[in-house]
Amino acid sequence: MAPKSTSSKATTVSPSSNPVLALWKSYNEQTPDRLRFIDAFLVFLMLTGVIQFVYCVLVTNFPFNAFLAGFSSTVGQFVLTASLRSQVDPENKNEFKEVSPERAFADFAFGSIVLHFFVFNFLG
Amino acid sequence: MLPLLSLLISLVTLVVARSSTGTDVLVIVSAEEQKDYTLFFEDLEGRGYDLFFREPKAEKPVLLDADVPQFHHVLMLASDTKAFASDITPQNIVELLTKNVNVVVALSPKQNLFYTLAPEFGLVPPPPGTPLISYFPERTDPPTVLPVHVAPGPIVTPNTPPVWFSGIPFSVGNSPLLVPILNAPSESFASDSDSTTESIVESVEKGGEGLWAGSSLGLVTGFQVTDGGRALFLGGGAILSDAFANKALPDGSSSGNKQIAHDVSAWAFQESLVLRIDETSHHVVNATEPKEYYTTNDQVVYTTKISRWNAKENEWEPHTGVDDLQLEFTMLDPHVRTGIPEDLARPGTYSVTFRAPDRHGVFKFIVDYRRKGWTHLKSAITVPVVPPRHDGYPRFLSAAWPYYAGAVSTSVGFVLFAALYLAGETKEAGKKKKE
Amino acid sequence: MATAYTLPDISPTAVKNTASLVRIVALALISGAAIASRLFAVINFESIIHEFDPWFNYRATKVLASQGFYEFWNWFDPTAWYPLGRVVGGTVYPGLMATSGVIYNVLHKLNLPVDIRNICVLLAPGFSALTAWATYMFTKEMKDASAGLLAAAFIGITPGYISRSVAGSYDNEAIAIFLLMFTFFLWIKAVKLGSALYGSLAALFYFYMVAAWGGYAFITNMIPVHALTLMLMGRYSSRLYVAYCSWYAIGTLSSMQVPFVGFQPVRTSEHMGALGVFGLLQIVAFAQLARAHMSSKQFKDLLFYSVIGIGLIGAGGFVGLTYMGWIAPWTGRFYSLWDTGYAKKYIPIIASVSEHQPTAWPSFFMDLQLLIFLFPAGVILCFRELRDEHVFVIIYALVGSYFAGVMVRLMLTLTPCVCVSAAVAFSSLLDTYLDPAKPEVPVVEETAPATASKPAATATATGTSAIDDVVNAAKKSGKRGIFDLDTRLIIVFNAFCMLSFFVLHCTWVTSNAYSSPSVVLASQNQDGSQHIIDDFREAYYWLRQNTPETSVVMSWWDYGYQIAGMADRPTLVDNNTWNNTHIATVGKAMASTEEVAYPILRKHDVEYVLVIFGGLIGYSGDDINKFLWMVRISQGVWPDEIQEPNYFTPQGEYRVDDRASATMKNSLMYKMSYYRFAELFGGSKQAMDRVRNQRLPTVSPTLDYLDEAFTSENWIVRIYQVKKEDPLGRDLKSANAFTDGKKRKRSKPVSRRRAIM
């Protein structure tokens, strides 16, 4: 903790980048593999969502229902995976007394299947 | 009873031209005047009509029996009579017309019940006792008997010589159902025959007001009742009389009275200028049966067959040559208005293809063809136009491929993730067990 | 520990089993009571669909049952809103019809041939039993099972809910309240457990609710407000994140599947609250995550810049999009809840519905009786516990109370909350007084001399000081409570009596006020026997049997669904009221003279006009009483031709006797209502209008363009046939005068001369 605070005191030119770098370093060191795997999936989902949104804004939003279906597919999957991540994170064990990690995954699977069902219904 | 019998009889007799509605004619004329119209009556009988005569005051044969008309046509030549029988009233005459009976009415300078009948048709007669007077052309007859030039029109045969006329003019209103046939000469006027000079002087002082004069006055006017018969108003019955038929014009040639009597009675009794719609059909392009409802933006084909009554052949024949037939596809206001051209392969058939509007609703195919002198053609067919069904839209849109790709990639990603995650879990569980 | 009464010695497992058995039996009895109390109308009259809106739902369900789901989905009704038609598939909430269709098909597969009408009539009582169960589950989360049973009993018989769910009231609210409570229960479970399963289930039932009722916007805003309040209270937790995000993502996507809702969840202001809270949750979750990895100072910097920046960008984005029109502003129906004067000025149709009027205070008592004053007590008890779910009930209570005060119809959404809070309060009361634990006796000897020595200055002073001493003594001893059996018996007996009064009140209100089919009226003869007034059905069946199948009927929009359902004829306007101009056209035709109304009638192919007239029998819901609304609505579209002040007397009164204004006397509605009415009274006595209590002129109005076709037995429904155009092209007034034998005034011919300038 100490070296980080001194570095923040020393460099006052760009205060925002330092916390970000520190965040990145701490994240890399502290998170277990499983959660990083989940985070990779989250990043992938975010990228696809951003691509679809940019396409909608720049080119056309004509089949608006298709855009909503695709975009909310990524957004929905993102939040479900983020929920899974928070439920599986060992630090949050006190919060989720009745939801074991296995139960969390089952919930995640159920929610995702329901989500995809609606997505494909709405798509075309 | 009577009409049936006469129908049988008339079937046997040889006919030249017959009406499209029937052959029984009731002639209401006083016995003295009946002999004045023998040529006209012969002409009618020669055309196949059965004439039944009735004095104006006689009670029988009645016009209507229990609201059913007893004759197909009524000819009222008793213009000088003031009192009629109880069933000859203006209201009954109007009712006859609505029941598709044709009526010919001869007016006269004497005021009688026809003076209350004519205004209902938009025709205003002049004050009673003011016959039509003209001092031109120079002739030996009194001013109340004058030759009238016949303007060309669809009802009269072309080049009809001028006709002799005696009676009253009337002012023709602006009802679209009126069919002007013969108008007064421009130098004629209606006035009391004794004091014409005083009346002219008076009207000059008033700036021309109050003098019934000019060529806008009608002498013979027809009226086509909506969904009913035809009415014909004559300013005076004398135009049909023998005397005028045989009378020579001032310049020596023969008059056209016989011809015009033939023409106007043919029109009034629905022999000429009679049209009807035989059938209409509508369907989608490339189909033959009409659909219960159409979809928006459908290509719809509308076909109609029009035929015309041929009096000589006594049958309906296809009517060609209508170039201004119009179809309106209407929902409160016409959304599509298009002409219906003739189908050259089939004469008498008119067909058009158009695109149903983009708006859903209950539409009507409306054909409303009205020309002066001709029967009115009316047809309205109601048909719903519905929006496309849920599977009537194009299935895959090319503009949406990024969204398809995104949705599919998310699903695939989910499946992969789940598989790898569970695999990771079993590996971890295995590791833990080993430990 | 001392006990006031001894409990029998039974093992805990036996107690538990008995308790659950008692619960099940209690729930079954409550369901039975709920269903039974809704059957008054069926027993008193017959199994018939009530009111107006249910007739349309019934017609739609018949289409679904007979032709299948896809035909219903694509159904275009050409007989409604003639000639515009109505795309029913896209303008209806299909949940109710789909539910009935499923039940119908299931029963038929089981070889029970139940008629579709009976399914529709009895659907609401069936679902009310389910609502009672859902409320039980919900209240169990709040407090415990005993409070749950009380809440179930309350909502089973309270008139506030019965009014919209009697047998025969086949309307969206029949299933919507069940879905409302069940969705809320699933949401509370999701927040409590932090489970995505419950969140997804909540989303699924939310989807069912969206398919069933337009009031789903209540859930759409309640859950985000709850989440936001929790966050503002500093109670953000991962459970909240999991629950809300799974609910929002799946719920919003699924709600857009309903064609009637379409893209509204991302396009209108009513749904933006949910989206905003969703975004806020993402930000807060990310901030929490980042906080775990950084020092607090760096975290504060990051938070300060990025979070606030994102928040500002988000808020600015919403405002900008609304300004540009991409996001629609609040629609009239919801906006009029905030600005109550708005509807009267701008949207008279919304203001004219009697259900949209503000609530009068007696209806609170009539609908809820003792629950309404237990309700604040329950809310305060929620404040005491203040777990996450109690915050929800508090918010629900606040919001529900406001809306119930604004609009009578929204009493229905307040009722479940009142039942829950009242149950919590009542149950706490019973718990306290049934708890056998007795406190220890406090020691009061030390302070007794002190009280005796104090001078008795005023009576109140001594009284209060004695009580203060006892209280202080009790505090010193450490326990407060109820001592003996007598207090307990009194309170419990009192509570029991109050509950009995509640049951009596509910049953009385249900049987008297809310069980009328309104299609059939009942009155009492002089000897007390019931006299049924069946005019509506008489007239509708006359239409059905005596008119061509395609003849169009014009009436005011209230009766459109009934005409379509019972008479099976095309109508111009009906209760859907989606096209204001069409309704204004009908209003204009009713409010104008015959000459002005006739072209409108012919343009719309109207063959029959139907009016409701209550003047003979005293039925006050007739068209003359609604006439001013017709005038106002048509004035909104044609302010030049129709002006409301013209229909009042110069003194500003609304009269129908000889003091009525000329515009009023010549209007089509007046003529149709009072045609031949004076002749009914014999001409010697003046006709008396029993609703307005005014005497009419002895000469009835005359009608030139319409013919009277049918008048029902008590003159309530009058049907007129529109005359065809005159064959001679005259206007019908002159044509009628001619037929009557009157001579036309001699008119000069039209002058074709132009004046010389």
Side-chain angles (χ1 to χ4, degrees):
Chain A
M1 283 295 280
K4 290 186 195 129
S5 50
T6 48
S7 59
S8 70
K9 278 186 213 151
T11 54
T12 50
V13 179
S14 52
S16 57
S17 62
N18 238 341
V20 176
L21 281 178
L23 173 68
W24 178 247
K25 247 204 264 180
S26 140
Y27 169 78
N28 267 335
E29 288 158 17
Q30 287 184 9
T31 46
D33 274 338
R34 216 189 207 187
L35 295 183
R36 288 170 70 168
F37 176 55
I38 297 180
D39 290 338
F41 188 48
L42 286 175
V43 167
F44 161 71
L45 287 173
M46 212 160 38
L47 279 176
T48 47
V50 164
I51 291 173
Q52 289 185 51
F53 190 75
V54 163
Y55 176 83
C56 172
V57 169
L58 287 184
V59 181
T60 173
N61 70 344
F62 158 54
F64 197 55
N65 58 320
F67 160 67
L68 282 178
F71 188 65
S72 48
S73 155
T74 57
V75 166
Q77 191 68 65
F78 179 90
V79 296
L80 280 172
T81 319
S83 316
L84 175 69
R85 184 191 196 281
S86 64
Q87 284 170 331
V88 164
D89 197 342
E91 292 178 8
N92 289 344
K93 227 186 250 170
N94 298 332
E95 289 242 11
F96 296 100
K97 288 193 198 84
E98 296 195 28
V99 183
S100 63
E102 291 77 29
R103 162 89 188 264
F105 184 75
D107 291 353
F108 164 74
F110 175 72
S112 305
I113 290 173
V114 170
L115 177 76
H116 289 148
F117 170 71
F118 279 121
V119 163
F120 283 111
N121 189 31
F122 202 41
L123 200 54
Chain B
M1 240 315 261
L2 264 172
L4 262 173
L5 256 177
S6 43
L7 197 63
L8 280 167
I9 296 170
S10 47
L11 272 172
V12 175
T13 55
L14 194 65
V15 298
V16 176
R18 299 180 95 229
S19 159
S20 59
T21 48
T23 53
D24 292 339
V25 183
L26 175 68
V27 185
I28 299 180
V29 67
S30 61
E32 311 86 55
E33 290 183 11
Q34 196 174 338
K35 354 188 205 338
D36 293 336
Y37 298 98
T38 45
L39 283 175
F40 179 55
F41 292 150
E42 270 169 28
D43 182 37
L44 284 180
E45 278 168 350
R47 291 208 299 242
Y49 290 100
D50 300 307
L51 302 177
F52 299 86
F53 294 92
R54 175 181 167 182
E55 294 265 340
K57 287 218 186 60
E59 293 296 321
K60 290 213 237 190
V62 286
L63 294 174
L64 288 159
D65 187 11
D67 281 347
V68 174
Q70 300 294 96
F71 297 93
H72 301 116
H73 317 279
V74 177
L75 192 51
M76 297 191 161
L77 295 175
S79 41
D80 285 337
T81 319
K82 273 218 163 213
F84 285 82
S86 57
D87 76 318
I88 302 177
T89 57
Q91 285 78 14
N92 277 351
I93 296 175
V94 171
E95 197 173 330
L96 281 177
L97 281 166
T98 57
K99 292 184 158 60
N100 208 17
V101 173
N102 306 309
V103 175
V104 176
V105 173
L107 304 168
S108 90
K110 292 206 186 73
Q111 182 167 22
N112 53 12
L113 66 91
F114 301 128
Y115 268 57
T116 45
L117 178 69
E120 296 299 318
F121 294 80
L123 305 172
V124 185
T130 56
L132 186 68
I133 289 177
S134 172
Y135 290 108
F136 299 91
E138 200 169 318
R139 58 196 185 279
T140 50
D141 309 280
T144 47
V145 175
L146 56 139
V148 179
H149 172 73
V150 177
I155 295 172
V156 293
T157 48
N159 300 321
T160 307
V163 297
W164 286 104
F165 178 81
S166 165
I168 55 161
F170 38 77
S171 139
V172 178
N174 50 11
S175 167
L177 303 169
L178 284 166
V179 181
I181 300 174
L182 188 69
N183 278 12
S186 45
E187 62 273 1
S188 61
F189 60 96
S191 162
D192 192 349
S193 46
D194 297 328
S195 53
T196 48
T197 39
E198 281 96 12
S199 60
I200 292 180
V201 164
E202 262 178 43
S203 57
V204 164
E205 279 168 10
K206 279 196 250 173
E209 291 305 321
L211 186 68
W212 290 66
S215 56
S216 58
L217 295 174
L219 300 178
V220 177
T221 309
F223 190 94
Q224 170 80 57
V225 174
T226 317
D227 295 332
R230 286 173 173 171
L232 185 71
F233 285 88
L234 305 165
I239 199 174
L240 305 171
S241 63
D242 300 342
F244 281 15
N246 295 327
K247 200 179 169 85
L249 289 170
D251 63 357
S253 53
S254 56
S255 65
N257 283 67
K258 198 154 189 282
Q259 183 63 53
I260 206 174
H262 179 103
D263 290 337
V264 299
S265 62
W267 182 84
F269 293 161
Q270 294 204 28
E271 287 175 37
S272 62
L273 301 186
V274 178
L275 296 174
R276 73 167 183 197
I277 296 183
D278 279 338
E279 56 172 333
T280 56
S281 67
H282 56 90
H283 52 84
V284 186
V285 161
N286 299 332
T288 44
E289 288 303 308
K291 267 170 62 166
E292 204 185 310
Y293 47 80
Y294 292 96
T295 318
T296 56
N297 297 318
D298 261 356
Q299 293 288 341
V300 183
V301 175
Y302 178 82
T303 313
T304 179
K305 259 190 74 176
I306 298 180
S307 43
R308 181 185 174 168
W309 174 256
N310 188 333
K312 290 199 178 56
E313 309 292 324
N314 201 21
E315 62 179 11
W316 293 92
E317 60 178 21
H319 179 60
T320 58
V322 180
D323 56 356
D324 53 355
L325 195 60
Q326 178 179 279
L327 170 73
E328 287 174 344
F329 197 55
T330 306
M331 176 173 77
L332 292 180
D333 291 305
H335 284 238
V336 174
R337 201 180 251 156
T338 171
I340 314 183
E342 190 168 358
D343 187 358
L344 296 165
R346 301 172 284 173
T349 307
Y350 299 79
S351 170
V352 70
T353 309
F354 64 95
R355 181 182 66 90
D358 202 9
R359 176 104 172 75
H360 54 84
V362 180
F363 285 83
K364 289 194 282 193
F365 292 101
I366 295 186
V367 169
D368 192 12
Y369 184 71
R370 286 185 252 182
R371 299 287 178 268
K372 274 209 198 292
W374 296 86
T375 327
H376 297 165
L377 294 175
K378 278 208 188 81
S379 161
I381 302 177
T382 313
V383 73
V385 173
V386 305
R389 285 178 70 94
H390 70 285
D391 50 4
Y393 291 97
R395 189 79 177 95
F396 292 110
L397 294 161
S398 60
W401 69 263
Y403 310 127
Y404 299 144
V408 169
S409 73
T410 313
S411 302
V412 166
F414 160 68
V415 172
L416 281 175
F417 170 79
L420 289 173
Y421 185 86
L422 285 172
E425 263 206 36
T426 49
K427 239 205 290 181
E428 268 193 35
K431 259 198 244 170
K432 280 199 181 138
K433 270 193 191 156
K434 279 185 193 162
E435 287 166 14
Chain C
M1 199 174 61
T3 54
Y5 57 92
T6 50
L7 292 168
D9 198 12
I10 314 174
S11 68
T13 45
V15 169
K16 238 177 77 173
N17 290 341
T18 325
S20 48
L21 177 68
V22 169
R23 273 203 291 274
I24 292 173
V25 170
L27 273 176
L29 287 174
I30 290 170
S31 308
I35 296 179
S37 70
R38 285 162 169 82
L39 292 181
F40 277 105
V42 174
I43 296 172
N44 281 343
F45 299 97
E46 60 187 271
S47 164
I48 186 179
I49 306 279
H50 295 185
E51 299 270 323
F52 303 108
D53 279 358
W55 278 99
F56 171 71
N57 297 333
Y58 174 55
R59 239 177 105 226
T61 315
K62 275 201 287 198
V63 169
L64 174 60
S66 59
Q67 295 176 21
F69 186 71
Y70 279 118
E71 285 304 315
F72 170 74
W73 198 247
N74 288 305
W75 185 31
F76 173 79
D77 191 5
T79 62
W81 294 88
Y82 185 89
L84 306 170
R86 179 180 176 185
V87 182
V88 176
T91 58
V92 82
Y93 286 110
L96 181 68
M97 298 86 174
T99 312
S100 302
V102 164
I103 294 177
Y104 176 81
N105 284 328
V106 163
L107 286 178
H108 275 246
K109 290 259 165 43
L110 293 174
N111 283 327
L112 293 166
V114 183
D115 185 37
I116 187 76
R117 190 195 80 227
N118 287 326
I119 292 181
C120 295
V121 165
L122 295 172
L123 186 79
F127 267 81
S128 70
L130 286 174
T131 310
W133 173 75
T135 314
Y136 160 74
M137 300 294 287
F138 182 79
T139 320
K140 201 158 77 124
E141 299 298 319
M142 293 295 140
K143 193 167 166 296
D144 57 12
S146 40
L149 286 175
L150 267 177
F154 285 154
I155 198 148
I157 56 174
T158 181
Y161 178 37
I162 288 188
S163 63
R164 303 292 301 202
S165 67
V166 277
S169 175
Y170 182 57
D171 210 353
N172 294 341
E173 288 91 347
I175 60 172
I177 298 298
F178 159 64
L179 294 173
L180 183 84
M181 286 316 287
F182 198 62
T183 311
F184 282 156
F185 159 68
L186 289 171
W187 163 250
I188 293 298
K189 271 294 249 205
V191 170
K192 254 190 168 174
L193 299 180
S195 152
L197 173 72
Y198 277 104
S200 315
L201 282 177
L204 279 177
F205 274 88
Y206 171 71
F207 162 61
Y208 193 2
M209 174 83 176
V210 170
W213 193 33
Y216 73 88
F218 186 62
I219 303 186
T220 316
N221 288 307
M222 269 296 292
I223 293 184
V225 167
H226 181 221
L228 185 67
T229 316
L230 285 179
M231 278 200 285
L232 288 176
M233 281 166 71
R235 288 199 187 193
Y236 170 79
S237 62
S238 303
R239 293 176 288 118
L240 179 65
Y241 179 84
V242 171
Y244 187 84
C245 290
S246 55
W247 171 80
Y248 181 76
I250 300 179
T252 310
L253 180 62
S254 59
S255 68
M256 291 196 276
Q257 309 296 312
V258 180
F260 195 22
V261 173
F263 298 136
Q264 277 180 31
V266 295
R267 274 262 167 95
T268 58
S269 305
E270 290 116 18
H271 298 85
M272 284 300 118
L275 182 63
V277 171
F278 182 66
L280 191 63
L281 262 181
Q282 307 304 314
I283 297 173
V284 173
F286 185 70
Q288 289 286 75
L289 195 64
R291 175 195 275 192
H293 293 291
M294 292 163 38
S295 75
S296 75
K297 169 135 190 353
Q298 288 172 324
F299 176 71
K300 272 200 196 129
D301 289 344
L302 191 60
L303 179 71
F304 185 73
Y305 289 115
S306 54
V307 171
I308 293 183
I310 293 175
L312 281 174
I313 292 171
F318 275 137
V319 171
L321 285 174
T322 312
Y323 189 67
M324 278 203 297
W326 284 33
I327 295 181
W330 288 78
T331 58
R333 283 183 81 190
F334 294 110
Y335 187 74
S336 62
L337 292 174
W338 307 118
D339 181 5
T340 46
Y342 177 76
K344 185 122 199 256
K345 269 185 286 174
Y346 296 107
I347 318 175
I349 286 188
I350 294 182
S352 71
V353 181
S354 63
E355 294 177 317
H356 291 181
Q357 306 306 322
T359 325
W361 72 262
S363 25
F364 280 101
F365 186 75
M366 175 153 115
D367 280 351
L368 300 169
Q369 215 231 8
L370 87 96
L371 303 180
I372 194 65
F373 55 82
L374 285 178
F375 166 57
V379 174
I380 290 177
L381 282 174
C382 286
F383 267 108
R384 276 227 187 141
E385 300 245 7
L386 214 58
R387 293 201 297 270
D388 289 348
E389 47 268 23
H390 297 106
V391 175
F392 183 78
V393 172
I394 294 168
I395 297 171
Y396 188 179
L398 277 170
V399 169
S401 313
Y402 172 71
F403 285 134
V406 169
M407 216 188 248
V408 167
R409 190 177 187 188
L410 296 178
M411 269 288 286
L412 181 65
T413 49
L414 178 67
T415 307
C417 179
V418 165
C419 291
V420 169
S421 317
V424 166
F426 207 81
S427 167
S428 310
L429 177 76
L430 284 179
D431 278 346
T432 321
Y433 280 89
L434 286 174
D435 184 9
K438 211 157 101 162
E440 292 155 17
V441 178
V443 177
V444 288
E445 287 86 25
E446 307 153 33
T447 56
T451 49
S453 65
K454 267 193 188 151
T458 53
T460 51
T462 46
T464 47
S465 60
I467 293 171
D468 284 345
D469 286 341
V470 171
V471 165
N472 290 335
K475 274 193 197 155
K476 279 189 204 150
S477 71
K479 247 211 177 148
R480 283 193 289 176
I482 306 145
F483 284 90
D484 262 326
L485 210 53
D486 48 356
T487 332
R488 292 191 161 82
L489 278 177
I490 292 173
I491 299 294
V492 171
F493 179 68
N494 194 17
F496 180 74
C497 285
M498 293 194 72
L499 285 179
S500 318
F501 281 131
F502 177 70
V503 169
L504 281 173
H505 170 91
C506 293
T507 319
W508 177 85
V509 168
T510 311
S511 68
N512 277 16
Y514 289 139
S515 296
S516 155
S518 90
V519 181
V520 179
L521 307 169
S523 71
Q524 286 207 325
N525 280 333
Q526 272 154 357
D527 59 352
S529 64
Q530 201 187 40
H531 172 61
I532 299 279
I533 297 171
D534 212 1
D535 279 32
F536 288 101
R537 291 198 294 175
E538 182 192 348
Y540 296 142
Y541 273 85
W542 181 89
L543 267 181
R544 193 191 185 110
Q545 291 166 346
N546 291 296
T547 59
E549 276 186 21
T550 53
S551 52
V552 178
V553 178
M554 178 175 100
S555 71
W556 192 234
W557 60 260
D558 286 351
Y559 317 106
Y561 280 155
Q562 280 186 343
I563 294 175
M566 287 193 261
D568 198 19
R569 292 287 172 269
T571 50
L572 277 195
V573 290
D574 61 26
N575 309 57
N576 191 25
T577 65
W578 67 269
N579 191 327
N580 189 45
T581 312
H582 219 60
I583 296 181
T585 311
V586 171
K588 181 179 172 192
M590 296 286 197
S592 312
T593 58
E594 281 184 271
E595 288 82 16
V596 173
Y598 186 70
I600 299 178
L601 295 175
R602 294 299 294 152
K603 186 173 180 189
H604 289 79
D605 298 335
V606 174
E607 274 192 51
Y608 292 93
V609 185
L610 186 146
V611 290
I612 306 287
F613 172 62
L616 181 65
I617 201 177
Y619 176 64
S620 62
D622 67 354
D623 280 354
I624 289 282
N625 274 358
K626 293 181 194 162
F627 187 47
L628 282 176
W629 285 111
M630 301 185 200
V631 170
R632 281 179 198 134
I633 292 174
S634 55
Q635 184 181 3
V637 179
W638 289 282
D640 307 325
E641 299 178 48
I642 314 253
Q643 281 108 29
E644 194 182 338
N646 290 343
Y647 295 86
F648 292 97
T649 61
Q651 294 82 29
E653 288 175 273
Y654 182 64
R655 297 205 74 89
V656 294
D657 53 10
D658 39 16
R659 282 198 277 153
S661 68
T663 325
M664 179 75 182
K665 281 207 190 130
N666 288 327
S667 64
L668 193 64
M669 170 60 67
Y670 181 90
K671 284 187 171 183
M672 284 197 292
S673 294
Y674 293 111
Y675 183 66
R676 286 198 315 116
F677 190 53
E679 280 107 41
L680 196 65
F681 287 75
S684 55
K685 282 195 302 179
Q686 263 195 311
M688 178 68 163
D689 181 339
R690 282 171 68 176
V691 176
R692 264 69 53 182
N693 283 323
Q694 294 167 23
R695 292 210 168 274
L696 298 174
T698 42
V699 179
S700 287
T702 55
L703 280 173
D704 287 313
Y705 290 82
L706 303 174
D707 276 331
E708 186 181 2
F710 179 78
T711 299
S712 63
E713 181 187 341
N714 297 298
W715 285 54
I716 293 187
V717 185
R718 308 196 68 183
I719 303 180
Y720 291 86
Q721 188 172 18
V722 178
K723 283 192 186 157
K724 295 269 180 311
E725 276 105 356
D726 184 48
L728 268 61
R730 305 165 284 181
D731 68 287
L732 281 171
K733 201 162 169 161
S734 327
N736 286 342
F738 171 73
T739 319
D740 289 338
K742 298 196 185 81
K743 283 204 171 61
R744 193 186 272 251
K745 262 205 323 225
R746 189 176 168 74
S747 63
K748 286 223 178 92
V750 176
S751 168
R752 294 169 213 243
R753 246 187 290 195
R754 273 178 268 256
I756 302 170
M757 291 299 182

